[in-house]
Amino acid sequence: MFNLIQGIFYSEHDMTGKFDDKHIIKTIKAIKKNPALAETDDRPVTDNAQHIFYEDTNLTYDIYDPFVEEVTKVINDTCETDAFSAADIWGHVVEPLQQTMVHSHRNIGDEDAGLSCVYYPHMKKGMGNIHFIVEANNNRIIQKVNVKPKHLYVFSRDVLHFTPANTSNQTRVSISANFLCRWSFLHELDLQNNFWKYVGRKGEANKNPDTW
C-alpha cells in the first residue's frame, strides 16, 4: 500500500460558453499594438523584449469583469470557500517563434497566500503548451500540459512554468491572473481541502505546528 508524502497538482476547468473568445483574442491583440486602448493597469508596459512583462497587456473591462466573476467562482468553489479574490489579471501575447521564459507568480518578499491561473481562448498545434517545473527527491521534473482551448488551468503561485517557442504561424493569446485569499482561510482550513493539492502537503505543517 502506498501513501502520499508530497504532491503538487494543477486543476483544469472547461470554460466553454463563459467568455467571448473571439472578442478576447481580437481585443488583446489590439491592445498589444496600442496599449492606450486598455482600461486596466495591472501590468507595466515595456518595449524590452527580454523582460518577463514584454508579452503582457492590460485589458478592457468587458473582458476583465466577466473573467473576475467566473474565475473567482471556479477557485472558491474548488476550495470550498469565499476567501479568494482577484489581485491582478492581464493578457498575454506570444507571436510566432516567441516563447515565455521560466518564471513563477511569487514576487520576492511576497508572503501573500493565493493561486495563479491561465485561460486559453484558443490553442492550435505548435502554439506552445504550458510546462510546469517541480522537484521531488532532488530530481527536477518538467510536466507538459496538453492545453485545450477554452480551458482554465489553476496552479500554485510558487510553481515555475514556461511555454516553449510558438512554432505555429498564428499569434497565441491567453489571460493570466493571481487570486489571493484571506489569511483566516488558512487557519480555518480542513486538511482535506483542495487548496493543499495546489500548494503541497507542506501546508499541513504550516497550519498545525503542534502536530510536528
Short mmCIF file of all heavy atoms in Angstrom, two decimals, residues 85-122:
data_model
loop_
_atom_site.label_atom_id
_atom_site.label_comp_id
_atom_site.label_asym_id
_atom_site.label_seq_id
_atom_site.Cartn_x
_atom_site.Cartn_y
_atom_site.Cartn_z
N SER A 85 -10.06 36.34 -3.89
CA SER A 85 -10.46 37.48 -4.73
C SER A 85 -9.33 37.81 -5.69
O SER A 85 -8.16 37.48 -5.45
CB SER A 85 -10.79 38.69 -3.86
OG SER A 85 -9.68 39.07 -3.07
N ALA A 86 -9.67 38.46 -6.79
CA ALA A 86 -8.69 38.76 -7.83
C ALA A 86 -7.70 39.81 -7.35
O ALA A 86 -8.07 40.81 -6.75
CB ALA A 86 -9.41 39.25 -9.08
N ALA A 87 -6.41 39.55 -7.64
CA ALA A 87 -5.35 40.51 -7.31
C ALA A 87 -4.90 41.25 -8.56
O ALA A 87 -4.87 42.48 -8.59
CB ALA A 87 -4.18 39.80 -6.66
N ASP A 88 -4.53 40.52 -9.61
CA ASP A 88 -4.16 41.14 -10.87
C ASP A 88 -4.45 40.18 -12.01
O ASP A 88 -4.33 38.97 -11.87
CB ASP A 88 -2.70 41.61 -10.89
CG ASP A 88 -1.72 40.54 -10.46
OD1 ASP A 88 -2.14 39.56 -9.82
OD2 ASP A 88 -0.52 40.69 -10.77
N ILE A 89 -4.86 40.77 -13.14
CA ILE A 89 -5.27 40.00 -14.32
C ILE A 89 -4.71 40.70 -15.55
O ILE A 89 -4.78 41.93 -15.65
CB ILE A 89 -6.80 39.89 -14.42
CG1 ILE A 89 -7.37 39.22 -13.16
CG2 ILE A 89 -7.23 39.13 -15.67
CD1 ILE A 89 -8.88 39.28 -13.08
N TRP A 90 -4.18 39.93 -16.49
CA TRP A 90 -3.57 40.55 -17.67
C TRP A 90 -3.65 39.62 -18.88
O TRP A 90 -3.78 38.41 -18.74
CB TRP A 90 -2.12 40.92 -17.38
CG TRP A 90 -1.21 39.76 -17.07
CD1 TRP A 90 -0.37 39.12 -17.95
CD2 TRP A 90 -1.03 39.10 -15.82
NE1 TRP A 90 0.31 38.11 -17.32
CE2 TRP A 90 -0.08 38.07 -16.01
CE3 TRP A 90 -1.59 39.29 -14.55
CZ2 TRP A 90 0.33 37.23 -14.98
CZ3 TRP A 90 -1.19 38.43 -13.53
CH2 TRP A 90 -0.24 37.43 -13.75
N GLY A 91 -3.54 40.22 -20.06
CA GLY A 91 -3.46 39.45 -21.29
C GLY A 91 -2.02 39.08 -21.58
O GLY A 91 -1.08 39.69 -21.07
N HIS A 92 -1.87 38.06 -22.43
CA HIS A 92 -0.54 37.56 -22.76
C HIS A 92 -0.52 37.27 -24.26
O HIS A 92 -1.38 36.54 -24.77
CB HIS A 92 -0.27 36.28 -21.96
CG HIS A 92 1.17 35.91 -21.87
ND1 HIS A 92 2.09 36.64 -21.17
CD2 HIS A 92 1.85 34.86 -22.40
CE1 HIS A 92 3.27 36.06 -21.26
NE2 HIS A 92 3.15 34.99 -22.01
N VAL A 93 0.43 37.86 -24.95
CA VAL A 93 0.50 37.76 -26.41
C VAL A 93 1.85 37.16 -26.81
O VAL A 93 2.90 37.74 -26.51
CB VAL A 93 0.32 39.13 -27.07
CG1 VAL A 93 0.44 39.01 -28.59
CG2 VAL A 93 -1.03 39.74 -26.69
N VAL A 94 1.82 36.02 -27.47
CA VAL A 94 3.06 35.35 -27.91
C VAL A 94 3.00 35.18 -29.42
O VAL A 94 2.21 34.40 -29.95
CB VAL A 94 3.24 33.99 -27.22
CG1 VAL A 94 4.51 33.31 -27.72
CG2 VAL A 94 3.28 34.16 -25.70
N GLU A 95 3.86 35.93 -30.11
CA GLU A 95 3.91 35.88 -31.57
C GLU A 95 4.65 34.61 -32.03
O GLU A 95 5.34 33.96 -31.23
CB GLU A 95 4.64 37.11 -32.10
CG GLU A 95 4.01 38.44 -31.71
CD GLU A 95 2.69 38.71 -32.40
OE1 GLU A 95 2.34 37.94 -33.33
OE2 GLU A 95 2.02 39.69 -32.03
N PRO A 96 4.51 34.24 -33.30
CA PRO A 96 5.27 33.10 -33.82
C PRO A 96 6.77 33.24 -33.54
O PRO A 96 7.34 34.32 -33.68
CB PRO A 96 4.97 33.15 -35.33
CG PRO A 96 3.60 33.73 -35.39
CD PRO A 96 3.57 34.77 -34.30
N LEU A 97 7.36 32.13 -33.07
CA LEU A 97 8.76 31.99 -32.71
C LEU A 97 9.12 32.65 -31.38
O LEU A 97 10.27 32.57 -30.93
CB LEU A 97 9.69 32.49 -33.82
CG LEU A 97 9.55 31.75 -35.16
CD1 LEU A 97 10.56 32.29 -36.16
CD2 LEU A 97 9.71 30.25 -34.99
N GLN A 98 8.18 33.29 -30.73
CA GLN A 98 8.42 33.79 -29.38
C GLN A 98 8.10 32.71 -28.36
O GLN A 98 7.42 31.73 -28.66
CB GLN A 98 7.56 35.03 -29.09
CG GLN A 98 7.99 36.26 -29.86
CD GLN A 98 7.16 37.48 -29.48
OE1 GLN A 98 6.13 37.39 -28.80
NE2 GLN A 98 7.60 38.65 -29.93
N GLN A 99 8.60 32.89 -27.15
CA GLN A 99 8.30 31.96 -26.06
C GLN A 99 8.21 32.74 -24.76
O GLN A 99 8.60 33.92 -24.69
CB GLN A 99 9.38 30.89 -25.95
CG GLN A 99 10.74 31.41 -25.53
CD GLN A 99 11.79 30.33 -25.52
OE1 GLN A 99 12.21 29.84 -26.56
NE2 GLN A 99 12.22 29.93 -24.32
N THR A 100 7.71 32.08 -23.72
CA THR A 100 7.63 32.70 -22.40
C THR A 100 8.69 32.07 -21.50
O THR A 100 8.73 30.85 -21.33
CB THR A 100 6.24 32.47 -21.77
OG1 THR A 100 5.25 33.00 -22.64
CG2 THR A 100 6.14 33.16 -20.42
N MET A 101 9.56 32.90 -20.93
CA MET A 101 10.67 32.39 -20.13
C MET A 101 10.18 31.78 -18.83
O MET A 101 9.04 32.00 -18.39
CB MET A 101 11.67 33.51 -19.84
CG MET A 101 11.15 34.59 -18.92
SD MET A 101 12.38 35.88 -18.55
CE MET A 101 12.51 36.71 -20.12
N VAL A 102 11.05 31.00 -18.19
CA VAL A 102 10.72 30.36 -16.91
C VAL A 102 10.47 31.42 -15.85
O VAL A 102 11.27 32.36 -15.69
CB VAL A 102 11.87 29.42 -16.46
CG1 VAL A 102 11.57 28.85 -15.08
CG2 VAL A 102 12.06 28.30 -17.47
N HIS A 103 9.37 31.28 -15.13
CA HIS A 103 9.04 32.24 -14.09
C HIS A 103 8.00 31.63 -13.15
O HIS A 103 7.42 30.58 -13.43
CB HIS A 103 8.47 33.53 -14.70
CG HIS A 103 7.14 33.35 -15.35
ND1 HIS A 103 6.98 32.70 -16.57
CD2 HIS A 103 5.89 33.70 -14.96
CE1 HIS A 103 5.70 32.69 -16.91
NE2 HIS A 103 5.01 33.27 -15.94
N SER A 104 7.77 32.28 -12.02
CA SER A 104 6.64 31.96 -11.15
C SER A 104 5.89 33.25 -10.89
O SER A 104 6.31 34.32 -11.33
CB SER A 104 7.11 31.33 -9.83
OG SER A 104 7.64 32.32 -8.97
N HIS A 105 4.78 33.16 -10.20
CA HIS A 105 3.99 34.36 -9.92
C HIS A 105 4.19 34.84 -8.49
O HIS A 105 3.42 35.65 -7.99
CB HIS A 105 2.50 34.08 -10.17
CG HIS A 105 2.18 33.90 -11.61
ND1 HIS A 105 0.91 34.03 -12.11
CD2 HIS A 105 2.95 33.61 -12.68
CE1 HIS A 105 0.91 33.81 -13.42
NE2 HIS A 105 2.15 33.55 -13.79
N ARG A 106 5.21 34.35 -7.84
CA ARG A 106 5.56 34.78 -6.49
C ARG A 106 6.64 35.84 -6.56
O ARG A 106 7.75 35.58 -7.04
CB ARG A 106 6.04 33.59 -5.66
CG ARG A 106 6.58 33.95 -4.30
CD ARG A 106 5.49 34.25 -3.29
NE ARG A 106 4.71 33.04 -3.01
CZ ARG A 106 3.68 33.00 -2.19
NH1 ARG A 106 3.28 34.11 -1.59
NH2 ARG A 106 3.02 31.87 -1.97
N ASN A 107 6.36 37.05 -6.09
CA ASN A 107 7.36 38.11 -6.08
C ASN A 107 8.29 37.96 -4.88
O ASN A 107 7.91 37.39 -3.84
CB ASN A 107 6.68 39.48 -6.02
CG ASN A 107 5.85 39.76 -7.26
OD1 ASN A 107 6.25 39.39 -8.36
ND2 ASN A 107 4.71 40.41 -7.09
N ILE A 108 9.51 38.46 -4.99
CA ILE A 108 10.47 38.39 -3.90
C ILE A 108 9.91 39.12 -2.67
O ILE A 108 9.48 40.27 -2.76
CB ILE A 108 11.81 39.01 -4.32
CG1 ILE A 108 12.44 38.18 -5.45
CG2 ILE A 108 12.77 39.10 -3.13
CD1 ILE A 108 13.69 38.79 -6.03
N GLY A 109 9.90 38.43 -1.53
CA GLY A 109 9.40 39.03 -0.30
C GLY A 109 7.89 38.99 -0.16
O GLY A 109 7.35 39.44 0.86
N ASP A 110 7.21 38.44 -1.13
CA ASP A 110 5.74 38.39 -1.12
C ASP A 110 5.29 37.16 -0.34
O ASP A 110 5.59 36.03 -0.71
CB ASP A 110 5.24 38.32 -2.57
CG ASP A 110 3.74 38.18 -2.68
OD1 ASP A 110 3.05 38.20 -1.64
OD2 ASP A 110 3.24 38.07 -3.81
N GLU A 111 4.58 37.37 0.76
CA GLU A 111 4.14 36.27 1.60
C GLU A 111 2.64 36.01 1.48
O GLU A 111 2.08 35.17 2.20
CB GLU A 111 4.50 36.53 3.06
CG GLU A 111 6.01 36.61 3.31
CD GLU A 111 6.36 36.81 4.76
OE1 GLU A 111 5.43 37.01 5.57
OE2 GLU A 111 7.56 36.77 5.09
N ASP A 112 1.96 36.72 0.58
CA ASP A 112 0.52 36.53 0.44
C ASP A 112 0.20 35.13 -0.08
O ASP A 112 0.88 34.60 -0.97
CB ASP A 112 -0.07 37.57 -0.52
CG ASP A 112 -0.08 38.96 0.08
OD1 ASP A 112 -0.17 39.07 1.31
OD2 ASP A 112 0.02 39.94 -0.68
N ALA A 113 -0.82 34.52 0.48
CA ALA A 113 -1.25 33.19 0.05
C ALA A 113 -2.26 33.33 -1.08
O ALA A 113 -3.12 34.20 -1.05
CB ALA A 113 -1.87 32.43 1.22
N GLY A 114 -2.15 32.46 -2.07
CA GLY A 114 -3.10 32.53 -3.17
C GLY A 114 -2.78 31.51 -4.24
O GLY A 114 -1.94 30.62 -4.06
N LEU A 115 -3.46 31.66 -5.37
CA LEU A 115 -3.30 30.76 -6.50
C LEU A 115 -3.17 31.57 -7.78
O LEU A 115 -3.60 32.74 -7.83
CB LEU A 115 -4.51 29.82 -6.60
CG LEU A 115 -4.71 28.85 -5.43
CD1 LEU A 115 -6.06 28.16 -5.55
CD2 LEU A 115 -3.58 27.84 -5.35
N SER A 116 -2.61 30.96 -8.81
CA SER A 116 -2.49 31.59 -10.12
C SER A 116 -3.27 30.77 -11.14
O SER A 116 -3.63 29.61 -10.89
CB SER A 116 -1.03 31.69 -10.54
OG SER A 116 -0.31 32.50 -9.64
N CYS A 117 -3.50 31.37 -12.30
CA CYS A 117 -4.22 30.64 -13.34
C CYS A 117 -3.91 31.22 -14.71
O CYS A 117 -3.38 32.33 -14.82
CB CYS A 117 -5.73 30.67 -13.09
SG CYS A 117 -6.47 32.31 -13.18
N VAL A 118 -4.24 30.44 -15.73
CA VAL A 118 -4.14 30.91 -17.11
C VAL A 118 -5.31 30.35 -17.89
O VAL A 118 -5.70 29.19 -17.70
CB VAL A 118 -2.79 30.52 -17.76
CG1 VAL A 118 -2.58 29.02 -17.75
CG2 VAL A 118 -2.68 31.08 -19.16
N TYR A 119 -5.90 31.19 -18.74
CA TYR A 119 -7.02 30.78 -19.58
C TYR A 119 -6.61 30.91 -21.04
O TYR A 119 -6.03 31.92 -21.45
CB TYR A 119 -8.25 31.67 -19.33
CG TYR A 119 -9.38 31.40 -20.29
CD1 TYR A 119 -10.10 30.21 -20.23
CD2 TYR A 119 -9.70 32.33 -21.29
CE1 TYR A 119 -11.12 29.95 -21.13
CE2 TYR A 119 -10.72 32.07 -22.19
CZ TYR A 119 -11.42 30.88 -22.10
OH TYR A 119 -12.43 30.62 -23.01
N TYR A 120 -6.93 29.87 -21.83
CA TYR A 120 -6.60 29.85 -23.25
C TYR A 120 -7.88 29.93 -24.09
O TYR A 120 -8.61 28.95 -24.18
CB TYR A 120 -5.83 28.57 -23.60
CG TYR A 120 -4.46 28.50 -22.99
CD1 TYR A 120 -4.27 27.93 -21.73
CD2 TYR A 120 -3.36 29.02 -23.65
CE1 TYR A 120 -3.01 27.88 -21.15
CE2 TYR A 120 -2.09 28.98 -23.08
CZ TYR A 120 -1.93 28.40 -21.83
OH TYR A 120 -0.68 28.36 -21.26
N PRO A 121 -8.16 31.08 -24.69
CA PRO A 121 -9.34 31.18 -25.55
C PRO A 121 -9.19 30.37 -26.84
O PRO A 121 -10.17 30.04 -27.49
CB PRO A 121 -9.44 32.67 -25.85
CG PRO A 121 -8.04 33.18 -25.70
CD PRO A 121 -7.43 32.36 -24.61
N HIS A 122 -7.94 30.07 -27.19
CA HIS A 122 -7.67 29.23 -28.36
C HIS A 122 -6.36 28.51 -28.14
O HIS A 122 -5.54 28.90 -27.31
CB HIS A 122 -7.63 30.05 -29.65
CG HIS A 122 -6.51 31.05 -29.71
ND1 HIS A 122 -6.04 31.60 -30.87
CD2 HIS A 122 -5.74 31.60 -28.72
CE1 HIS A 122 -5.07 32.44 -30.63
NE2 HIS A 122 -4.86 32.46 -29.33
#
